[in-house]
Amino acid sequence: MKKGLKWTGIIVIGAVILGNLGDDEEQAAPEKKVEVEQEAVQSEAKPVKAKAVAKPVKKTYGINDRVKVGKLTYVVNDVKMVDTLSNVLGEKKTSGQFLVIDLTILNGDKEERFVDSNMFKVNVGDTEYSADTELDLYANEDGMGFFLETINPNIEKTGNIVFELPKQVKNPKLEVSSGFGWAGGQSKEIQLTR
């Protein structure tokens, strides 16, 4: 009889343990079910679209406009397209065209500023053209233009910058910089057609 009670006790204890294990599984199952339901709700939700951020509108500058970039102010005085440049040095010809830009630069800084024709680019669509410093010698009376020049505070300098472009160029824009080297970093565009 003792053996029977002993086995009955072991069976009852085993049943209680198994019963408790079963309760743990039942309690765990609803948690899993809730997680699955939450995932289902999240996957059914429509994706939130990010609001479009308005791009800042670039101001359009033109010939004779004062364009301030950093401490420098630029004014395009005149624009010419020619196929020949000449002076006492001789004559330069191109199969395309020379874009000659008469430009004034005002230094609004409290110290002298170094300027160079390499600060300027002409953009035609997504194509970029650099100034030709050799041609600047043919387009400026003093022969230098903006080649390695300094401008003192509150002083203006006027000169010509020359770009060699293909003949069929439409809508060129002059990109002017806030400075040379470390002083650069900002730029604006000036529309060169009237």
Side-chain angles (χ1 to χ4, degrees):
M1 175 112 166
K2 282 187 176 183
K3 277 189 176 182
L5 283 175
K6 184 178 178 181
W7 280 108
T8 306
I10 292 175
I11 293 173
V12 170
I13 292 174
V16 170
I17 292 173
L18 287 175
N20 284 337
L21 287 176
D23 287 345
D24 288 344
E25 288 177 12
E26 287 175 12
Q27 289 174 357
E31 289 177 2
K32 288 181 183 176
K33 185 177 180 184
V34 170
E35 288 176 14
V36 171
E37 287 176 5
Q38 287 176 348
E39 288 176 13
V41 169
Q42 289 175 355
S43 66
E44 290 174 11
K46 294 180 181 176
V48 178
K49 293 182 181 177
K51 291 183 180 180
V53 177
K55 292 182 181 178
V57 178
K58 279 187 171 181
K59 181 171 174 159
T60 303
Y61 298 98
I63 297 171
N64 296 319
D65 286 344
R66 295 180 65 79
V67 181
K68 188 172 192 297
V69 188
K71 302 287 185 179
L72 300 176
T73 301
Y74 299 90
V75 178
V76 172
N77 303 309
D78 193 23
V79 177
K80 294 187 289 187
M81 297 282 211
V82 296
D83 60 3
T84 305
L85 292 172
S86 60
N87 68 6
V88 294
L89 298 174
E91 189 172 87
K92 286 285 186 178
K93 291 187 177 194
T94 179
S95 60
Q97 59 188 346
F98 295 122
L99 172 65
V100 181
I101 302 170
D102 180 350
L103 182 71
T104 300
I105 303 173
L106 168 67
N107 177 8
D109 205 347
K110 293 182 179 182
E111 56 189 49
E112 80 174 3
R113 294 292 298 269
F114 182 72
V115 294
D116 188 69
S117 53
N118 289 324
M119 292 171 41
F120 308 102
K121 295 182 181 355
V122 166
N123 298 318
V124 179
D126 61 354
T127 304
E128 182 180 280
Y129 297 91
S130 296
D132 189 325
T133 54
E134 180 189 351
L135 295 174
D136 288 354
L137 297 172
Y138 290 85
N140 289 287
E141 288 180 22
D142 64 2
M144 295 302 287
F146 293 109
F147 180 67
L148 301 174
E149 288 291 315
T150 56
I151 303 176
N152 281 318
N154 302 309
I155 299 293
E156 290 183 341
K157 176 157 177 61
T158 300
N160 292 313
I161 303 168
V162 181
F163 297 84
E164 187 174 14
L165 306 175
K167 282 193 177 190
Q168 302 305 320
V169 167
K170 293 181 181 176
N171 199 25
K173 295 176 183 172
L174 177 66
E175 183 179 321
V176 293
S177 173
S178 58
F180 186 77
W182 296 106
Q186 299 173 18
S187 65
K188 292 184 180 175
E189 284 187 333
I190 302 170
Q191 181 68 47
L192 296 176
T193 53
R194 296 181 195 264

